[in-house]
Amino acid sequence: MSASIQDSTQVGAAGAVAGTTGSREALRNLYFVRFGFAIVWAVLLMVTAKSINPGAVALIIIYPLFDAGAAIVDYRSSGSSRPKAALYVNMALSLLTAIGLAVVVGSGIPNVLRVWGGWAITAGIVQLIVAILRWRVGGQLAMILSGGISVLAGTAFVLMAGGPNAALTGVGGYAILGGIFFLISAIRLHSVVRKAAK
């Protein structure tokens, strides 16, 4: 092998490593932001959402919009590790959910729970797929668990909507748990990035 070919191979390998490290750092930072947002959002929802009021309406619609924005940031910053099709699906689901919630929010908590539950189920499946496709990046076990729990929680929300005790407090708890999984993944990715830098 000629020196020029060896040099180009080494440069390509170095670029791939740098790209992977950059993707991990971007994903880590995004996960930290998502953790912080989820905790603050959940606390505000639990305080305001004992009934459907302007504050609760705003919070309910903001969450899927934030999720769509996070998916866009993920797509733009995660480089070669991004699962394009799954992220596109995630963006579409979040935007459709925001629209659906805006339509039904005035009709009461049960319909909000039905739309939210449907979103949690479908988004959870997408999250599972994304995490599996990103396994080599690191920090994805928590995302796999989060996706699976999201499917179960979504089913519970749909069932709760048909019962006498329909309430939005469970949605707050769901957001907190999801935020904790984001934090775990962020910490794990931080560890992977530090090891790669040594």
Side-chain angles (χ1 to χ4, degrees):
M1 184 181 292
S2 69
S4 61
I5 294 176
Q6 287 180 331
D7 289 344
S8 63
T9 301
Q10 291 172 353
V11 170
V17 171
T20 301
T21 300
S23 296
R24 285 173 176 153
E25 291 176 344
L27 204 56
R28 174 201 63 191
N29 295 339
L30 179 61
Y31 285 172
F32 275 129
V33 171
R34 296 203 64 166
F35 161 71
F37 176 84
I39 298 302
V40 172
W41 182 90
V43 171
L44 291 174
L45 184 72
M46 289 177 173
V47 170
T48 62
K50 294 180 181 179
S51 62
I52 297 294
N53 55 66
V57 170
L59 288 169
I60 288 167
I61 295 173
I62 284 172
Y63 196 96
L65 290 176
F66 176 85
D67 192 80
I72 293 170
V73 172
D74 188 347
Y75 181 87
R76 290 181 174 178
S77 62
S78 56
S80 59
S81 71
R82 66 188 179 206
K84 295 181 181 180
L87 287 174
Y88 277 134
V89 171
N90 190 27
M91 294 175 207
L93 285 173
S94 297
L95 290 174
L96 288 172
T97 298
I99 294 170
L101 288 170
V103 170
V104 305
V105 72
S107 63
I109 291 176
N111 284 334
V112 170
L113 287 174
R114 290 185 181 99
V115 174
W116 197 283
W119 179 43
I121 293 169
T122 53
I125 293 170
V126 173
Q127 188 176 24
L128 274 169
I129 295 170
V130 170
I132 291 170
L133 293 174
R134 274 182 167 157
W135 182 258
R136 292 184 180 181
V137 174
Q140 296 304 301
L141 179 58
M143 292 294 94
I144 290 174
L145 294 174
S146 179
I149 291 173
S150 182
V151 173
L152 297 176
T155 303
F157 291 144
V158 173
L159 294 175
M160 185 190 299
N165 299 315
L168 294 175
T169 51
V171 173
Y174 161 79
I176 289 174
L177 184 58
I180 290 172
F181 279 120
F182 276 120
L183 177 62
I184 293 170
S185 285
I187 293 171
R188 175 58 184 153
L189 279 170
H190 182 69
S191 176
V192 171
V193 170
R194 288 188 64 184
K195 287 180 181 179
K198 292 181 180 178

